[in-house]
Amino acid sequence: MGEGNIHAILFLACAILCGYVYQCPPFRLSYQGLGEPLCFAAFGPFATSAFYLLLGSTSEMSILPLTGTILSASLLVGFTTTLILFCSHFHQVEEDKAVGKFSPLVRLGTERGSGVVKVAVAMLYSLLFASGLSRALPLACILLCSLTLPMGKLVVGFVEENYKDKGKIFMAKYFCVRLHALFGAALASGLVAARAFQGYFS
């Protein structure tokens, strides 16, 4: 509000609205299995774009600068955030069923859910490399984010091995949190490096 940036305010309002309809009455869309797309939109395109606008210079605020870079970055952040939420359901499928909450894992089952995790991680890195090939993201981002591949492989392997074990699969979401933190730090570091060393990592 202090910045007076209407675009950022609208994006943040949309992010907050996603959170409200996700869990609060009378909507509670999480019970219909819509938590993941709402999470993706809120923490990906809406929140990431909003804070990008707020941190930009005044001259950049006259138009909506949704460049390929900010769009790619927001989609990647949305992917890793949503993966945390998806994996948080593995250990509570029966409990969700009991209260009428039709999460994606209630609908799919844990075995097919483990396949979704594998596809999601593959899509995350495919989007990363596609963003690099299209020059939407600088080379530094691609190189640094690629270093998180072992963590992504760990998430996939852990879920595939333990999706039947309710006690162990509880830890899946924490591995996803690590992936999210490492990937986000690598992405941010790559953007900073590209700006600091223009011509080398652009």
Side-chain angles (χ1 to χ4, degrees), residues 4-168:
N5 188 311
I6 187 63
H7 294 132
I9 292 170
L10 288 174
F11 276 131
L12 285 173
C14 287
I16 293 168
L17 180 63
C18 285
Y20 185 87
V21 299
Y22 165 67
Q23 191 63 20
C24 297
F27 306 101
R28 307 198 82 174
L29 296 183
S30 62
Y31 279 69
Q32 307 306 316
L34 296 175
E36 279 71 11
L38 288 169
C39 175
F40 177 84
F43 289 95
F46 288 143
T48 305
S49 299
F51 285 104
Y52 171 75
L53 291 169
L54 287 172
L55 294 171
S57 66
T58 305
S59 62
E60 293 175 329
M61 295 301 112
S62 56
I63 58 173
L64 191 60
L66 289 182
T67 63
T69 300
I70 184 59
L71 182 60
S72 297
S74 69
L75 293 176
L76 293 169
V77 171
F79 255 101
T80 58
T81 308
T82 305
L83 195 58
I84 298 171
L85 178 60
F86 184 84
C87 287
S88 71
H89 297 302
F90 270 103
H91 70 285
Q92 58 187 41
V93 171
E94 295 304 320
E95 290 84 349
D96 285 344
K97 283 182 181 177
V99 297
K101 186 175 184 180
F102 294 99
S103 70
L105 282 170
V106 169
R107 296 176 185 273
L108 293 171
T110 56
E111 183 174 2
R112 281 193 289 177
S114 68
V116 171
V117 171
K118 186 174 185 177
V119 170
V121 172
M123 287 180 65
L124 172 68
Y125 288 99
S126 296
L127 178 59
L128 171 69
F129 294 126
S131 298
L133 289 173
S134 64
R135 294 188 175 275
L137 288 175
L139 179 59
C141 290
I142 313 307
L143 293 174
L144 292 175
C145 288
S146 295
L147 298 177
T148 68
L149 269 166
M151 192 68 230
K153 186 177 179 181
L154 177 63
V155 169
V156 172
F158 182 84
V159 172
E160 285 185 332
E161 291 175 13
N162 299 292
Y163 69 86
K164 292 181 180 179
D165 190 326
K166 188 175 177 180
K168 289 183 179 179

